[in-house]
Amino acid sequence: MTISLFRYAKAGGQRVMKAVLIVCDGMADRPVPELAYKTPLEIARKPNMDWLAKHGVCGIMDTVEAGVPPGSDTAHLALLGYNPFEVYTGRGPFEAAGAGIDLKPGDIAFRANFATVDENGLIVDRRAGRIEETKPLEEALHKIKIKGAEIIFKATVGHRGVLVLRGAGLSHEVSDSDPHATGVKPLKIVPRLEVEKKVPEYPVIAGGVRKLVIRRSRAAKTAKILNEFSKRAHEILKDHELNKTRVKEGKLPANYILIRGPGIVPHLIPLEERMGIKGACVAAAALVKGVCRLAGMTVVDVPGATGSVNTDLGAKVKATLKLLENHDLVLLHIKGLDEASHDRDPKKKVEFIEKIDSYLPQLIEVADFIVLTADHTTPVSVGDHTADPVPVVIYGPGVRVDDVKSFGEREAAKGGLGRISGRHLLPILADLMGKGKKFGA
Amino acid sequence: MTISLFRYAKAGGQRVMKAVLIVCDGMADRPVPELAYKTPLEIARKPNMDWLAKHGVCGIMDTVEAGVPPGSDTAHLALLGYNPFEVYTGRGPFEAAGAGIDLKPGDIAFRANFATVDENGLIVDRRAGRIEETKPLEEALHKIKIKGAEIIFKATVGHRGVLVLRGAGLSHEVSDSDPHATGVKPLKIVPRLEVEKKVPEYPVIAGGVRKLVIRRSRAAKTAKILNEFSKRAHEILKDHELNKTRVKEGKLPANYILIRGPGIVPHLIPLEERMGIKGACVAAAALVKGVCRLAGMTVVDVPGATGSVNTDLGAKVKATLKLLENHDLVLLHIKGLDEASHDRDPKKKVEFIEKIDSYLPQLIEVADFIVLTADHTTPVSVGDHTADPVPVVIYGPGVRVDDVKSFGEREAAKGGLGRISGRHLLPILADLMGKGKKFGA
């Protein structure tokens, strides 16, 4: 690979710049009492991250917006330069894209669970005894045809799946059937016009009312199709051979499809069209893969990438370097730290940060630009995403190297980037890569 | 001049505060290898800029938006407090305003070139042999009348001019006739609804379609008028006495008008109405003058102001001080550094920064507030505008003086303003001048 030879070629020159955007899921934290009120990132021995901080420009970043704890989906939309407030309506589309379904803008997508209901229709288990083999069930469901929408159902991992409705006049503004409880019936799906309450009672302009009427009728039509699908799916599944066998074996039958997380597939202008950046993604998490796919990026499956601390980092870095040969930007997503944070395990978090650090030289060696950041803060003291800004460093030719010498939440706050918004990160990087698009003359 | 006596009068007091906003075009840069990885601003000897930094509050600023390389027009719109994403559709209106045409909101304006086409209609020279005397040609074009729009054409400098269409039902969403090439015919002007592809195909709501139909029909009407203008202009110009003489002299005839850069004239609420600030502008660049004129500011012509490093800075400073007597704010635009950056000449840039610095005491002496900044970064390593934030200092009574002791891109990033957006600069200054407008009670 000859890329590194050109490393300090002038920004804006003729040659193509290569960048790696490393997103360490949930890496950022708050001061931890057990770590002498340092954060895991501050206490970890991470010479390579510190090297990046010393030779790059640092800052802190509100991935989505100050005070808003980001989801992994909205965070990655923002990190790719999209405004999640404009394009995100629910998790369904990104799960479905991550599952490999070829979505079209306007499709309505849901997350789905195989579940067990008893003869009275009450939910016994929301995960159908954590069933694993669902492919035959998926195939049986393919015969469901309902007027008004094309139905696409795909089983994914374990009891999970995704459901997509395609057609004109549909809406994502419908409720879930999953009550998140057992001993009750699945919920009837109804129109749910969340924004409705935000419509002011004045001024009632003609267009506004008309739009609302259209939205209501679309949501009603969609809810009707979904209720019909739920009924027909139950009818098919309850008599399916696989379920009969399961019952004989004393296992719970997967005889119901619970759905949730509706969203409309947004029209995302592909990264390449929008910024002239040919992008690729290395990730284990389906949700992140889904966001990247919808952004028009190349998404690869890396054997050994688990989304956990036992993931094969070497394989992911190798895949990143390979993709860099014919892409401008590779987003390398590393999930394990978020898991450690959800487990409230600061030691595990420190250790995995140190492990990630040991793989950085391979990337620094080759890429022109390295951006290292997190998609959100997940404090071990909280065990869930919070809105604290994340640290970010941009390393590469032309950056205004600042005085920050080590990479951490509080050191980065003293850096030359100041406090930026997540959706400006990629435009900032693109500009440094010589791909800025001037607005005006 | 008695202004200076009141210099440290309390902010918000009765007397009128005077401010100078110095915009050094393209002054900001990236670390330059030939300057030991300092920027021209960091390495220049500029005691007065440093004095301002030491006695003022510093920060960095995204003139338009983080990651977006600003044009001079969009940058100045933002620096005057307007949102360029709302008011900017193209360069034409600002060029036309800069040429002194009295524009009305809704006018459609274009940049125009006198060009040469041969007997087959192929472009021989896009600049008509760099013709200089075009006034007689302009006058001949005044007789063109086309149904549907009032036509205003004005020749400006050299082969350049501006074209304005005025009337109901016109649109800026049309293509250019200038192919930016020779040996080809001028392009036929067609509707170009740029935003169209951004209009999602779903949900096609009634209002959206209707709006699109209206936009299409307006663009078609405008394109038709422009094609007719092009044809009639060619007919008039090809037989014009001046061109006949040129041909006899072996010069290229200016027998075609190429047009480009369409934009609709926005309704800019004048600075005085919006902020209670009576503003004036000292600039050589027509584009900057145009923005200031459309903002309702006084725009003067300063003899000796060239927009180059050979400009008469003394005359510009003198004009600034004169205008300050009966204006609250004078925007002093200095162009030369951008030229040095486009020439990729760091030494020229350093020298001109030092020259600008030497003129500052005259302004510091008189004005209550001095704001010093750049409209955008133009790295000498790139030779074009980039999105890197620019440094800014606000000096004057009441500012929260910070620890920054010298004026530069990286020092300013440590300042008390943090990272701000260009369109907040003038409201911040207005507030310091005692002209803030309380929102709420």
Side-chain angles (χ1 to χ4, degrees):
Chain A
M1 226 172 294
T2 54
I3 300 171
S4 55
L5 295 179
F6 297 95
R7 195 119 139 261
Y8 282 102
K10 277 177 189 163
Q14 288 311 299
R15 77 168 218 80
V16 177
M17 291 275 174
K18 303 284 183 173
V20 178
L21 167 56
I22 308 168
V23 183
C24 299
D25 204 308
M27 175 165 66
D29 212 304
R30 293 175 180 169
V32 182
E34 303 94 296
L35 301 179
Y37 291 95
K38 302 260 180 210
T39 68
L41 194 55
E42 284 169 350
I43 214 161
R45 229 192 118 269
K46 40 163 195 8
N48 299 302
M49 292 188 186
D50 293 342
W51 188 91
L52 286 173
K54 196 172 169 187
H55 296 89
V57 60
C58 290
I60 53 174
M61 180 167 72
D62 300 295
T63 328
V64 169
E65 187 171 278
V68 177
S72 282
D73 38 19
T74 53
H76 279 84
L77 280 167
L79 289 175
L80 294 177
Y82 302 101
N83 182 348
F85 294 108
E86 284 173 10
V87 300
Y88 186 83
T89 49
R91 183 163 165 174
F94 305 98
E95 288 281 350
I101 296 180
D102 244 332
L103 296 167
K104 294 182 178 173
D107 286 352
I108 312 295
F110 306 79
R111 304 173 70 191
N113 271 15
F114 285 96
T116 308
V117 298
D118 65 16
E119 60 280 10
N120 299 316
L122 302 178
I123 298 172
V124 177
D125 187 350
R126 287 179 57 250
R127 297 183 185 87
R130 292 205 175 265
I131 186 170
E132 295 201 342
E133 171 57 8
T134 55
K135 225 49 193 167
L137 302 178
E138 172 196 306
E139 276 156 26
L141 293 175
H142 287 169
K143 61 181 152 211
I144 300 177
K145 308 276 176 228
I146 299 173
K147 201 171 163 259
E150 180 188 344
I151 292 168
I152 303 160
F153 181 86
K154 184 166 181 176
T156 56
V157 181
H159 59 280
R160 297 186 190 88
V162 289
L163 172 68
V164 175
L165 301 190
R166 178 172 294 165
L170 298 172
S171 166
H172 63 285
E173 295 181 290
V174 292
S175 62
D176 296 348
S177 67
D178 188 348
H180 289 269
T182 54
V184 295
K185 287 191 177 177
L187 299 170
K188 192 184 165 194
I189 292 163
V190 294
R192 187 198 54 173
L193 271 62
E194 277 202 15
V195 192
E196 195 168 355
K197 60 187 164 193
K198 288 188 204 154
V199 174
E201 285 165 42
Y202 61 92
V204 181
I205 52 159
V209 169
R210 186 162 171 203
K211 215 167 149 180
L212 199 57
V213 168
I214 293 172
R215 280 169 59 200
R216 277 198 186 119
S217 96
R218 288 178 176 195
K221 172 183 167 182
T222 309
K224 200 176 158 200
I225 292 170
L226 290 166
N227 288 321
E228 176 70 14
F229 170 82
S230 301
K231 193 174 134 237
R232 302 259 293 271
H234 178 53
E235 281 161 11
I236 290 170
L237 294 174
K238 75 179 161 58
D239 298 327
H240 195 281
E241 281 308 317
L242 189 144
N243 276 328
K244 284 180 182 166
T245 311
R246 282 180 70 82
V247 171
K248 269 182 214 154
E249 290 169 351
K251 291 175 182 164
L252 291 171
N255 60 12
Y256 203 91
I257 305 291
L258 290 173
I259 63 178
R260 63 198 160 107
I264 185 164
V265 175
H267 176 61
L268 299 184
I269 300 170
L271 217 54
E272 195 164 359
E273 185 181 333
R274 204 158 42 92
M275 303 218 218
I277 287 178
K278 200 175 166 199
C281 161
V282 173
L287 201 54
V288 173
K289 284 174 159 174
V291 172
C292 291
R293 275 200 80 197
L294 281 178
M297 295 164 76
T298 305
V299 177
V300 295
D301 289 313
V302 179
T306 61
S308 180
V309 292
N310 66 10
T311 193
D312 187 346
L313 278 182
K316 290 180 85 167
V317 167
K318 207 172 149 192
T320 301
L321 293 174
K322 181 78 188 154
L323 285 166
L324 216 51
E325 288 174 19
N326 50 6
H327 291 82
D328 304 310
L329 169 83
V330 182
L331 189 160
L332 169 58
H333 176 259
I334 301 170
K335 177 90 181 155
L337 294 170
D338 195 50
E339 182 192 76
S341 301
H342 283 278
D343 294 348
R344 303 186 175 217
D345 188 340
K347 196 161 155 278
K348 193 172 167 189
K349 200 163 172 180
V350 171
E351 282 167 6
F352 197 56
I353 288 171
E354 293 179 349
K355 188 172 172 192
I356 293 170
D357 188 79
S358 71
Y359 284 91
L360 295 183
Q362 301 180 45
L363 298 169
I364 296 172
E365 184 74 14
V366 172
D368 299 282
F369 287 92
I370 302 272
V371 181
L372 174 66
T373 189
D375 54 350
H376 48 73
T377 297
T378 313
V380 289
S381 61
V382 177
D384 206 346
H385 305 187
T386 62
D388 310 72
V390 298
V392 57
V393 57
I394 305 177
Y395 161 78
V399 303
R400 292 175 181 163
V401 180
D402 56 30
D403 296 339
V404 178
K405 302 267 183 289
S406 73
F407 190 65
E409 294 83 352
R410 288 178 280 197
E411 282 306 303
K414 299 173 192 164
L417 285 175
R419 184 169 184 156
I420 61 172
S421 173
R423 64 178 178 274
H424 293 148
L425 181 64
L426 205 52
I428 289 170
L429 176 62
D431 180 61
L432 286 165
M433 291 167 76
K435 290 171 178 290
K437 286 188 180 171
K438 186 152 62 173
F439 176 48
Chain B
M1 229 173 294
T2 54
I3 301 172
S4 57
L5 296 178
F6 298 94
R7 192 118 140 262
Y8 282 102
K10 276 178 190 158
Q14 290 309 301
R15 77 170 217 79
V16 178
M17 291 276 174
K18 304 284 185 176
V20 178
L21 167 55
I22 309 168
V23 183
C24 299
D25 205 308
M27 176 165 65
D29 212 303
R30 293 176 179 169
V32 182
E34 302 93 294
L35 303 178
Y37 290 93
K38 303 263 180 208
T39 69
L41 194 54
E42 285 169 350
I43 213 163
R45 229 193 117 268
K46 43 167 192 8
N48 299 302
M49 293 189 186
D50 292 342
W51 189 91
L52 286 172
K54 195 172 170 186
H55 295 89
V57 60
C58 290
I60 52 175
M61 181 166 72
D62 298 296
T63 328
V64 168
E65 185 173 280
V68 177
S72 281
D73 39 21
T74 54
H76 279 84
L77 281 166
L79 290 175
L80 294 177
Y82 302 100
N83 183 348
F85 293 108
E86 284 173 10
V87 300
Y88 185 84
T89 50
R91 182 164 166 172
F94 306 98
E95 287 281 349
I101 295 181
D102 244 331
L103 295 168
K104 294 183 179 172
D107 286 353
I108 311 296
F110 306 78
R111 305 172 71 192
N113 271 15
F114 284 95
T116 309
V117 297
D118 65 16
E119 62 277 13
N120 299 315
L122 303 177
I123 298 172
V124 177
D125 186 351
R126 288 180 56 249
R127 298 183 184 87
R130 293 204 174 265
I131 186 170
E132 295 201 344
E133 170 58 9
T134 55
K135 227 47 193 167
L137 302 179
E138 173 196 305
E139 275 156 28
L141 294 175
H142 287 168
K143 61 181 154 215
I144 300 178
K145 308 277 175 226
I146 299 173
K147 202 169 163 262
E150 181 188 343
I151 291 168
I152 303 160
F153 181 86
K154 185 165 178 176
T156 56
V157 182
H159 60 279
R160 297 188 190 85
V162 290
L163 172 68
V164 175
L165 301 190
R166 178 171 293 165
L170 297 172
S171 165
H172 63 285
E173 295 181 290
V174 291
S175 62
D176 296 348
S177 67
D178 187 348
H180 289 271
T182 54
V184 295
K185 285 190 178 180
L187 299 171
K188 193 184 166 192
I189 293 163
V190 293
R192 185 197 56 173
L193 271 60
E194 273 203 19
V195 194
E196 194 167 355
K197 59 184 164 193
K198 287 187 207 155
V199 174
E201 284 163 42
Y202 61 92
V204 180
I205 53 160
V209 169
R210 188 166 167 200
K211 219 167 147 182
L212 200 56
V213 168
I214 293 173
R215 281 170 58 201
R216 278 199 185 118
S217 96
R218 288 181 173 188
K221 172 182 167 183
T222 308
K224 200 177 157 198
I225 292 171
L226 291 166
N227 288 319
E228 176 71 16
F229 170 81
S230 301
K231 192 176 135 235
R232 301 260 292 272
H234 177 53
E235 280 160 11
I236 290 170
L237 293 175
K238 74 178 164 56
D239 299 325
H240 195 282
E241 281 307 317
L242 189 144
N243 276 327
K244 285 182 180 165
T245 310
R246 281 180 69 81
V247 172
K248 269 181 215 153
E249 291 170 351
K251 291 176 184 164
L252 291 172
N255 59 12
Y256 203 92
I257 305 289
L258 290 173
I259 62 178
R260 62 197 160 109
I264 186 163
V265 176
H267 176 63
L268 299 183
I269 302 169
L271 218 54
E272 193 163 1
E273 185 181 333
R274 202 159 43 92
M275 304 219 218
I277 286 177
K278 200 174 165 197
C281 161
V282 173
L287 202 53
V288 173
K289 284 175 160 174
V291 172
C292 291
R293 276 200 79 198
L294 281 177
M297 296 164 74
T298 304
V299 177
V300 296
D301 289 315
V302 178
T306 62
S308 180
V309 292
N310 67 10
T311 193
D312 187 344
L313 277 182
K316 289 180 86 167
V317 168
K318 206 172 152 192
T320 302
L321 293 174
K322 179 79 188 155
L323 285 165
L324 215 53
E325 288 176 19
N326 50 4
H327 292 81
D328 305 310
L329 170 82
V330 181
L331 189 161
L332 169 57
H333 177 260
I334 302 170
K335 177 88 182 157
L337 294 171
D338 195 50
E339 182 191 76
S341 301
H342 283 278
D343 293 349
R344 302 185 174 215
D345 188 341
K347 194 161 158 278
K348 193 173 168 189
K349 200 164 173 181
V350 171
E351 283 168 4
F352 197 57
I353 289 171
E354 294 179 349
K355 188 172 173 191
I356 293 171
D357 188 78
S358 71
Y359 284 91
L360 295 183
Q362 300 180 46
L363 298 168
I364 296 173
E365 183 76 16
V366 172
D368 299 281
F369 288 92
I370 301 274
V371 181
L372 173 65
T373 190
D375 54 351
H376 49 73
T377 296
T378 312
V380 290
S381 61
V382 177
D384 206 346
H385 306 187
T386 63
D388 310 74
V390 298
V392 56
V393 56
I394 305 178
Y395 160 78
V399 303
R400 295 177 181 161
V401 180
D402 56 30
D403 296 339
V404 178
K405 301 268 183 288
S406 73
F407 190 65
E409 293 84 352
R410 287 181 279 199
E411 283 306 304
K414 300 174 191 164
L417 286 175
R419 184 169 184 154
I420 62 171
S421 172
R423 62 179 178 272
H424 295 148
L425 181 65
L426 205 51
I428 289 171
L429 175 62
D431 181 59
L432 286 164
M433 291 168 76
K435 290 173 180 290
K437 286 191 181 170
K438 186 151 58 177
F439 175 51

